[in-house]
Amino acid sequence: MKLLSAYGVALLAAQAAGVAIKHRINGLTLTEHPDAAKRELLQKYKVKALGFNCVSFYVDWALVEGKPGEYRADGIFDLEPFFNAAKEAGIYLLARPGPYINAESSGGGFPGWLQRVNGTLRTSDKGYLDATDNYAANVGATIAKHQITNGGPIILYQPENEYTSSCCSVEFPNADYMQYVEDQARNAGVVIPLINNDASAEGHNAPGTGKGAVDIYGHDSYPLGFDCANPTVWPSGDLPTDFRTLHLEQSPTTPYSIVEFQGGSYDPWGGPGFAACAELLNNEFERVFYKNDFSFQIAIMNLYMIFGGTNWGNLGYPNGYTSYDYGSALTESRNITREKYSELKLLGNFAKVSPAYLTASPGSLTTSGYADTADLSVTPLLSNGTGSFFVIRHSDYSSEDSTSYKLSLPTSAGTVTIPQLGGTLILNGRDSKIHVVDYNVSGTNIIYSTAEVFTWKKFSDSKVLVIYGGSGEHHELSIATKSNVTVVEGSASEITSKQTGKAVVIGWDVSATRRIVQVGDLKVLLLDRNSAYNYWVPQLATDGTEPGFSTQETVASSIIVKAGYLVRTAYVEGADLYITADFNATTAIEVFGAPSNAKNLFINGDKAKYTVDKNGIWSTEVKYTAPDISLPSLESLEWKYLDTLPEIQSSYDDSLWPDADLDKTPNTFRELTTPTSLYSCDYGFSTGYLLYRGQFVATGNESTFLVDPQGGSAFGSSVWLNGTYLGSWTGLYVYSDYNATFDLPQLEAGKTYVITVVIDNMGLEENWTVGEELMKTPRGILNFELSGREASAISWKLTGNLGGEDYEDKVRGPLNEGGLYAERQGFHQPEPPSQNWKSSSPLDGISEAGIAFYSASFDLDLPTGWDVPLYFNFGNSTTPEPYRVQLYVNGYQYGKYISNIGPQTNFPVPEGILNYRGTNWVAVSLWALSSEGAKLESFELSYTTPVLTALAEVQSVDQPKYTARKGAY
Ligand code: GAL
């Protein structure tokens, strides 16, 4: 509690994915976007505006130590610009560097070379621990440098991730192991508190449990699960009810912490899509489930994810596709138009101004005493006159009924039955409310309010309280005052009030038209929820232009602004009040509490004319005129084409390819069933497409070839014998490997043949259960059989990305490119040597099985001052031939599209990867997995509503262009 009382507000955090590192930012996970630091800053203002004060981030080890012993966290992988941006935005950070992170990322963040480690992953085995040392020391030192004790934003450190489940007789939980991970952080200079995230509330490593204990115990919770296919179904029993009891059993001395609470869901290949996930985990889910968490007096609440982002550059695990939108409050293209963003803002801002919540005493859920119907359940958080909170919901939490009720609440004015002035309180289906009692608004005691509190502020000459209710609801408010009620805005006729001498009671029906009542020096804004969504509470920076961290002082300094899409910051310079904000429509702006010395209003740097009404509210308007956005037609670019499967030509020379000649595998997960290892990670190839070439001299008696390639869920594979196409496995989500037998044509005795196998590696498995070792699940060829021949008759070579762990592209990192010829050569980068390539478009495609590669450039000239989300869209209206596409934008892989599996057809690519004012290079690999060939049905660049933005100009990330690669084959 010491930690929390320093902030005076609950720690509301959220994981987000940001930066180029798919550092997944929980609430923001860093490990995602080669998206410049400015981007992060932007995400953070959007998080800050929610009323949140912290962001958690994962660091993905695989991205920063692609080669064992070489930690490289520079350029897009540099954490420091992200840390600096967080500090600037006044957002604390919770660092989650693993080494294991899960996160729907390839290998759960483990680099591919860990498949070769001698030792069980996530245990005390020396081979594994030694492998972690270099990463842990480096990332730990960077985190230590930016922890709060050194003036940085990082306040918490999470060792490991969901160290909760085991199998296969490994020692578990292994206190020595957990202690080792913690010592690594401490040895690197990390002094901030350690917090863990048990996968469920099982008390692992809680303080007092001895070796390996953390400072603050926390657990995770995903109550509605991950099945987005039925987005309106809330199965019975899914709402947690025992968290408080477990907390008191497991870690009563630490602030109650949920380190990952469900903020959305992942979605598999072929899944229902993220719009369905956003619906399942929508604003109603937030209302009921997050307020339920509040009923347990949650003190640290971290949402996973608030912004998921993109699995660019092979970052994802095999069960997920390119988008990691997650159905989160911030969409993959950084929009905040989902209602769940607005709903979250109501709750976050309420927590920010309700410190009494942290000191009240939570009671048990009850159906009697507070509400007059057993259809409703109430959890009280009680205090003696200093702020009580009553969390109400339907007893059947998934009920869609509207239930009327009376409340009986203990207040400083005695127990009151509410409503006192007539009318009926209603709780609609899938709603939950927090009724406040003896709520302190800067010295004014709100005896109770049935309408919910959004925020309140004390200004130099008045106080403002903003409360809201659902449309059509009746509400009542009682204030300890001898003053009368005056309706200073809106119609008085719909508002009833009664003075009792010591208190005033006000009743009203919620209306879409705002009413303001004045009681003494307090103005109360009566809003409906949808109007409340338009209110923002920026902390007013008085020193400089940045809001600063959320402390009692900075929170108290905030102003209230009614605007539209987003208000980012507010600050005063002399007599000038500056507001920065984003707009997606013409927007009326009102300012409540403009400082008395402020005389001029500037919106996004432009002086605004404003009026002041009798209540002191400043009003102005920002006009939105949609800019002209003209985007090139991708279909009519000057596309250049290259066959990127030269391997099947008779003249092809593979002498530079690595031999697959290891007769033992270091991989302990699965024994070899082939004479030499064909596991790609044994040879340093762990990302992107894999190619194998097996050479043999025929006897003429071979009739079939069986091969069992393994690429992970939804993978595909194609096989050729010399130039003859044998066939493909086109992929299904449920198959990670697939045994296929192909008939061979009559082979000529004594002649040399080459079998070429192409495998789509979907990423490495995660390693959630300790001991199961799933991350070591091999990629490549598990088994093969050439009929009538010994397996040793075939000698194999293989390739993935050029150089494997000695990867070529140090800028875009170790995972971005795979093993296609064009990728090995670097042709996916800007300015490939395409002058002599054939002119042909991916819309023309190819007429037989194979893999084509296309490159083209286009210019963009988007207006400055606008945030315009852009998407590459692949048409899929008919059932096309099965094909797989990789999309490269300025050398960054930003999409894997599978025509016969889906669901993703639209691929957002952020500004900074795209040059919005300049030249861009787009490349597409098109793999036809049928003898009919394949072509893109359509390919378009599109945009969604341009947002007039206060976001500073986005700097593009480094986009090295093609240069001939030494030793490329
Ligand atoms: C948790 C894990 C996260 C993420 C989440 C599901 O178990 O800690 O990393 O995988 O589940 O999205």
Side-chain angles (χ1 to χ4, degrees), residues 58 101-104 161-162 220 222 260 266 304 326 768:
Y58 280 137
I101 61 167
N102 212 61
E104 287 75 76
N161 189 79
E162 293 192 332
D220 296 350
Y222 292 82
E260 286 178 26
Y266 50 72
Y304 190 99
Y326 214 78
W768 196 74

Side-chain angles (χ1 to χ4, degrees), residues 228-295:
C228 304
N230 299 296
T232 58
V233 179
W234 288 8
S236 69
D238 277 6
L239 187 76
T241 52
D242 58 353
F243 282 175
R244 174 88 194 150
T245 318
L246 292 171
H247 169 63
L248 294 177
E249 280 166 28
Q250 294 167 346
S251 193
T253 58
T254 59
Y256 178 54
S257 305
I258 304 186
V259 184
E260 286 178 26
F261 194 79
Q262 184 152 30
S265 171
Y266 50 72
D267 191 46
W269 285 104
F274 284 114
C277 298
E279 193 187 342
L280 177 69
L281 293 321
N282 67 0
N283 50 310
E284 292 179 338
F285 164 79
E286 293 180 329
R287 283 214 283 273
V288 174
F289 283 80
Y290 295 176
K291 285 176 187 169
N292 185 57
D293 288 340
F294 270 54
S295 79

Side-chain angles (χ1 to χ4, degrees), residues 12 286-298 301 343 346-352 354 356-357 360 377-382 387-393 405 407 409 425-427 431-437 439 446 448-454 466-469 473 475-477 529:
L12 289 182
E286 293 180 329
R287 283 214 283 273
V288 174
F289 283 80
Y290 295 176
K291 285 176 187 169
N292 185 57
D293 288 340
F294 270 54
S295 79
F296 307 125
Q297 199 172 47
I298 192 165
M301 180 180 188
E343 181 68 46
L346 300 184
L347 192 60
N349 280 286
F350 164 68
K352 198 170 174 181
S354 304
Y357 164 75
S377 295
V378 175
T379 309
L381 293 102
L382 298 170
S388 297
F389 302 81
F390 298 85
V391 183
I392 189 165
R393 64 164 168 91
Y405 64 105
L407 279 171
L409 298 182
L425 303 180
I426 281 197
L427 186 72
D431 195 2
S432 171
K433 293 176 201 259
I434 302 178
H435 296 315
V436 297
V437 163
Y439 187 83
I446 306 299
Y448 65 83
S449 172
T450 66
E452 292 188 276
V453 173
F454 169 54
V466 183
I467 57 181
Y468 64 94
E473 290 173 0
H475 283 290
E476 219 175 74
L477 166 75
R529 183 186 288 113

Side-chain angles (χ1 to χ4, degrees), residues 546-886:
E546 301 301 337
F549 292 107
S550 299
T551 63
Q552 276 169 356
E553 294 72 43
T554 56
V555 171
S557 79
S558 309
I559 58 170
I560 300 171
V561 180
K562 176 179 177 277
Y565 182 73
L566 170 69
V567 172
R568 292 172 183 268
T569 61
Y571 56 93
V572 180
E573 275 173 5
D576 302 332
L577 171 61
Y578 288 86
I579 290 175
T580 67
D582 286 17
F583 303 92
N584 62 1
T586 293
T587 303
I589 296 180
E590 293 175 314
V591 180
F592 301 76
S596 48
N597 55 323
K599 300 284 171 268
N600 307 309
L601 177 63
F602 289 81
I603 311 254
N604 294 346
D606 293 335
K607 194 164 182 180
K609 280 204 180 119
Y610 66 94
T611 56
V612 185
D613 75 359
K614 64 178 167 74
N615 295 314
I617 305 168
W618 292 20
S619 296
T620 185
E621 188 185 71
V622 168
K623 283 249 185 306
Y624 175 97
T625 315
D628 281 338
I629 305 285
S630 87
L631 297 177
S633 150
L634 295 181
E635 304 192 354
S636 39
L637 300 182
E638 286 179 27
W639 289 100
K640 293 295 194 126
Y641 155 85
L642 185 77
D643 173 10
T644 188
L645 200 61
E647 287 85 357
I648 61 173
Q649 291 161 21
S650 56
S651 57
Y652 186 75
D653 173 10
D654 64 11
S655 54
L656 288 176
W657 283 44
D659 292 317
D661 57 359
L662 292 172
D663 55 10
K664 286 198 189 63
T665 177
N667 188 331
T668 49
F669 183 79
R670 182 183 179 278
E671 285 185 10
L672 288 187
T673 45
T674 50
T676 59
S677 168
L678 300 177
Y679 299 166
S680 67
C681 291
D682 287 1
Y683 303 92
F685 301 118
S686 58
T687 182
Y689 288 1
L690 300 169
L691 280 87
Y692 286 78
R693 286 173 60 77
Q695 184 176 313
F696 64 97
V697 180
T699 60
N701 297 328
E702 300 86 352
S703 58
T704 59
F705 176 68
L706 170 149
V707 66
D708 184 6
Q710 178 159 278
S713 291
F715 87 105
S717 175
S718 296
V719 184
W720 282 263
L721 176 79
N722 290 351
T724 308
Y725 174 60
L726 295 184
S728 292
W729 165 245
T730 58
L732 282 175
Y733 177 67
V734 290
Y735 286 87
S736 289
D737 72 306
Y738 188 79
N739 245 316
T741 304
F742 303 103
D743 290 335
L744 300 178
Q746 180 59 51
L747 305 189
E748 237 176 84
K751 192 178 157 191
T752 298
Y753 289 87
V754 176
I755 289 172
T756 301
V757 182
V758 183
I759 304 169
D760 192 356
N761 172 12
M762 312 301 284
L764 305 178
E765 305 294 335
E766 293 179 322
N767 207 77
W768 196 74
T769 306
V770 178
E772 209 173 8
E773 296 285 87
L774 281 187
M775 182 269 161
K776 290 184 176 173
T777 310
R779 293 290 176 254
I781 293 179
L782 299 182
N783 202 10
F784 66 88
E785 259 173 58
L786 185 59
S787 61
R789 302 295 301 273
E790 294 288 320
S792 57
I794 304 188
S795 57
W796 289 95
K797 287 173 175 269
L798 84 165
T799 192
N801 65 302
L802 185 69
E805 285 153 18
D806 272 310
Y807 56 100
E808 282 289 321
D809 188 345
K810 297 289 187 284
V811 169
R812 299 180 184 90
L815 299 185
N816 185 60
E817 60 191 55
L820 284 182
Y821 170 70
E823 294 174 295
R824 293 176 342 237
Q825 296 292 330
F827 295 159
H828 55 288
Q829 301 179 106
E831 299 181 35
S834 56
Q835 300 77 5
N836 300 326
W837 300 3
K838 246 178 74 185
S839 289
S840 176
S841 141
L843 280 303
D844 300 331
I846 49 177
S847 55
E848 55 186 10
I851 313 183
F853 185 80
Y854 302 90
S855 171
S857 69
F858 60 86
D859 290 341
L860 288 177
D861 188 14
L862 294 171
T864 53
W866 293 86
D867 189 3
V868 188
L870 292 186
Y871 309 78
F872 289 81
N873 304 325
F874 296 94
N876 198 348
S877 61
T878 56
T879 309
E881 296 301 331
Y883 60 87
R884 290 172 183 244
V885 171
Q886 295 182 106

Side-chain angles (χ1 to χ4, degrees), residues 405-426:
Y405 64 105
K406 283 197 171 55
L407 279 171
S408 174
L409 298 182
T411 76
S412 56
T415 298
V416 206
T417 301
I418 306 165
Q420 299 192 74
L421 303 183
T424 307
L425 303 180
I426 281 197

Side-chain angles (χ1 to χ4, degrees), residues 83 237 521 578 627 763:
F83 296 160
D521 64 351
Y578 288 86

